[in-house]
Amino acid sequence: MRKLINWRPAKGALAALGCAPFVLVLIAYMVASQARLEVNPNDKMLPAFASFSAAITRVAIEPDRRTGERLLWVDTAASLRRLGLAIAISAVIGLTLGMALGALPIAGASLSPLVAGVSLIPPLAILPILFIVVGLGELSKVVLICIGITPVITRDIEQRVREIPRELIVKAQTLGASTWQIMLRVVLPQALPRLVSALRLGLCSAWLFLIAAEAIAAESGLGYRIFLVRRYLAMDVILPYVLWITAVAYLTDYVLGWISRRAFRWHFLGQLQ
Amino acid sequence: MHHSAGLRIRFTAALLVVGAALLAHSAYGVADEIKPKFRVAWTVYVGWMPWDYAAQSGIMKKWADKLGIEVEIVQLNDYVESINQYTAGKFDGCVMTNMDALTIPAAGGVDSTALIVGDFSNGNDGVVLKGKDKLADIKGQRVNLVELSVSHYLLARALQSIKASEKDIKVVNTSDADIVAAASASDTTALVTWNPQLSEVKKLPTAHEVFNSSQIPGEIIDLMVVNSAKLKANPKLGQALVGAWYEIMELMSSPSPAGVAARTAMAKASGTDLAGFESQLKTTRMFYTPADAVKFTQSPALANTMQQVAEFSFMHGLLGEGAKSAGAVGIATASRTIGASANVKLRFDDSFMQQAVSVKP
């Protein structure tokens, strides 16, 4: 009898095992939905697949009755614009600040505790302050995401920069490099690939803050639509939106990973072997 | 190879068993009890605080015991979530407004009965402008409100009153929990909300209330809604809820020390003091006697209101995509039935309140 720990699925079984949970979830959903619809044909909790396709047609293909817009695309564009802007800002701040804190002892000593403290503030708890300072518009949503992810990115970069072998810095100095040159030619190439992985991890929280911001005050966006139609329990719209968000989030993550592997080959050399 | 194939089969079989067990649990998890047990949900609002008092004072238990049933009163934090849970079948009854009763459970196919007509908003909902003091100034502004709620309905009625429409403004969906903070933001110029938030917003130095629900009296109604099938099978549930409610109403409207004590308890539970609670009661038209509530329920005005609410809901897509007209979901009132009589899903039933009129405690 072989031990369980040594059982490895064959290649064909691997795919089947991977799909099985999805299929099971789907079957469980269908059975539960069928049971509810038999009791109440108008049930909104677990709609049938036909209702999904009707809802998707309605939000993605047909123009909306009130506004004449194709809602899914308008919402996706609005959300991605906020997310993209916030991530770009957070990346720039996180990278510069993180490099400074990690490489310059004087900056680290004076600012590290502050960044560590700020990173522990739950951004949603300070929303009322945020509203008063930056208002309710697009800016507040971008700022909320930035507050949420910048400190984490900064601390990550700072940590990675501290891990750069001291020998590298010393060597660069023996070759006559100034602080500025060391920052640009030694620290930056080491920090950039880390920035991408920090961003990929930060994306999870960024989506969370985006949806939260859109739930609180908005006129478009993926989170806005979900919280709006939640008011009348339109699960036929909510579930496809959730799947769509998952797909978009997966795609963003994939693209970031791809860019990172293409742009920073040196960083992945060790891993490839 | 055969090892892995065997593993696959066994593993899949195990998953299927677990899945089936989970399904069976969710589908048949509700066990039968000897004493019928019911769960009723409520959320904080001046007109619904008596339900908290019913649970705290033991008045609900007294009536339930008398009728040989059990009624559990559960407080939920989120209003819409409480209605959604009721619609999903987790509760047998729930407090909600007339409009939400139509657009959430009734439009969702859950036949619901307005068992108790508790009050109507008589100034508890209002339109507030910052820096302007005429309703007409709202044109062209961005208005913060909970979209598709009674606030949205109030705004539509306000716009109607100045011959304007929603095209003249831009609606910004804003959570009711954050609307007070939103009101303080400098770029917020117009908003619609309800009490207690409304009274906070009105305290802002530049705020002017330009329209409120007392200008459309009797249109925003606060109800205790019960699942019709449950009520039909267990009329005792209706009797117990109505009995407890009107016992508290009598107490609540009384100037006696016991009445003051009851109002103070309700004030405390809603996070204010007696003075704050009584000022909210001033903008709430409570139906303290069953006779009063029955009269309102039987009036043709209620039917007309529901007709307007149904039209508003249809225009905003709240009756569901299958709905071809405002009458898609039938509403039965004492004076007439509105919309599809073959698809009545919301019933204003005054029979239980009438029993309370005749059987004085």
Side-chain angles (χ1 to χ4, degrees), chain A residues 1-2 4 7-14 16-17 20-21 24 27-29 31-32 35-36 40-45 55 58 65-67 124 127-129 131-138 141 214-219 224-225 227-233 236, chain B residues 1 3-5 7-8 10-12 15-16 23 78-81 84 87-89 100 103-104 107-110 142 144 146-150 152 166 170-175 178 181-188 194 314-321 323 343 345:
Chain A
M1 185 72 187
R2 211 193 294 182
L4 183 63
W7 276 3
R8 283 176 196 283
K11 277 225 172 90
L14 212 60
L17 276 177
L24 277 170
I27 293 174
Y29 180 88
V31 171
R36 284 191 73 99
N40 171 10
N42 287 326
D43 182 66
K44 288 176 165 180
M45 282 297 284
R58 208 165 66 235
R65 267 193 298 195
R66 271 169 72 202
T67 56
L124 288 174
L127 264 183
I129 307 176
F131 286 158
I132 292 164
V133 177
V134 296
L136 267 183
E138 290 300 291
K141 298 174 190 67
E214 290 179 339
I216 287 158
E219 47 212 279
Y224 159 81
R225 192 72 52 198
F227 277 83
L228 182 66
V229 302
R230 164 181 170 269
R231 177 125 205 134
Y232 54 104
L233 209 66
D236 56 342
Chain B
M1 270 313 277
H3 268 294
S4 56
L7 170 66
R8 188 177 78 198
R10 261 183 257 172
F11 190 61
T12 318
L15 276 175
L16 275 174
L23 274 178
D78 188 305
Y79 169 67
V80 173
E81 192 53 36
N84 283 347
T87 308
D100 295 315
T103 58
I104 305 173
V110 176
R142 292 158 56 89
N144 292 80
V146 180
E147 235 180 301
L148 310 180
S149 70
V150 288
H152 203 163
E166 271 188 66
K170 177 104 181 112
V171 166
V172 182
N173 189 34
T174 308
S175 146
D178 295 292
S184 330
S186 57
D187 56 351
T188 305
W194 52 76
F314 173 68
M315 257 173 45
H316 290 83
L318 301 183
L319 298 182
E321 282 308 310
N343 186 36
K345 293 291 177 197

Side-chain angles (χ1 to χ4, degrees), chain A residues 134-166:
Chain A
V134 296
L136 267 183
E138 290 300 291
L139 187 60
S140 71
K141 298 174 190 67
V142 174
V143 170
L144 180 71
I145 303 175
C146 288
I147 293 182
I149 64 172
T150 311
V152 185
I153 294 176
T154 310
R155 291 185 77 189
D156 195 45
I157 300 284
E158 178 191 351
Q159 200 55 44
R160 300 305 162 199
V161 169
R162 289 224 171 110
E163 281 166 12
I164 295 176
R166 188 72 200 152

Side-chain angles (χ1 to χ4, degrees), chain A residues 12-262:
Chain A
L14 212 60
L17 276 177
C19 292
F22 289 101
V23 174
L24 277 170
V25 168
L26 218 59
I27 293 174
Y29 180 88
M30 278 159 73
V31 171
S33 161
Q34 190 64 35
R36 284 191 73 99
L37 287 169
E38 261 166 34
V39 181
N40 171 10
N42 287 326
D43 182 66
K44 288 176 165 180
M45 282 297 284
L46 305 173
F49 286 104
S51 323
F52 285 134
S53 66
I56 293 170
T57 315
R58 208 165 66 235
V59 294
I61 298 168
E62 291 167 1
D64 181 54
R65 267 193 298 195
R66 271 169 72 202
T67 56
E69 291 165 331
R70 285 171 180 79
L71 297 178
L72 181 69
W73 310 113
V74 173
D75 289 337
T76 309
S79 287
L80 285 183
R81 198 171 51 239
R82 289 164 191 151
L83 199 68
L85 199 58
I87 291 209
I89 295 172
S90 306
V92 171
I93 300 179
L95 184 68
T96 20
L97 202 58
M99 274 170 56
L101 296 189
L104 307 174
I106 186 118
S110 49
L111 286 178
S112 270
L114 177 73
V115 173
V118 169
S119 74
L120 293 174
I121 298 174
L124 288 174
I126 54 165
L127 264 183
I129 307 176
L130 208 62
F131 286 158
I132 292 164
V133 177
V134 296
L136 267 183
E138 290 300 291
L139 187 60
S140 71
K141 298 174 190 67
V142 174
V143 170
L144 180 71
I145 303 175
C146 288
I147 293 182
I149 64 172
T150 311
V152 185
I153 294 176
T154 310
R155 291 185 77 189
D156 195 45
I157 300 284
E158 178 191 351
Q159 200 55 44
R160 300 305 162 199
V161 169
R162 289 224 171 110
E163 281 166 12
I164 295 176
R166 188 72 200 152
E167 292 85 342
L168 277 180
I169 313 276
V170 172
K171 191 164 191 176
Q173 293 183 59
T174 5
L175 293 171
S178 65
T179 302
W180 180 243
Q181 281 170 324
I182 293 175
M183 286 298 243
L184 282 190
R185 305 297 293 274
V186 181
V187 178
L188 186 64
Q190 298 272 352
L192 272 177
R194 292 301 183 177
L195 175 68
V196 177
S197 47
L199 284 181
R200 287 173 73 182
L201 289 174
L203 262 180
C204 283
S205 355
W207 273 101
L208 191 75
F209 292 124
L210 175 73
I211 305 284
E214 290 179 339
I216 287 158
E219 47 212 279
S220 63
L222 296 165
Y224 159 81
R225 192 72 52 198
I226 288 180
F227 277 83
L228 182 66
V229 302
R230 164 181 170 269
R231 177 125 205 134
Y232 54 104
L233 209 66
M235 296 306 288
D236 56 342
V237 175
I238 294 179
L239 290 176
Y241 260 73
V242 171
L243 287 180
W244 174 241
I245 290 175
T246 317
V248 172
Y250 179 82
L251 205 69
T252 356
D253 182 64
Y254 183 84
V255 167
L256 276 176
W258 183 79
I259 291 176
S260 171
R261 278 190 304 276
R262 292 310 290 279

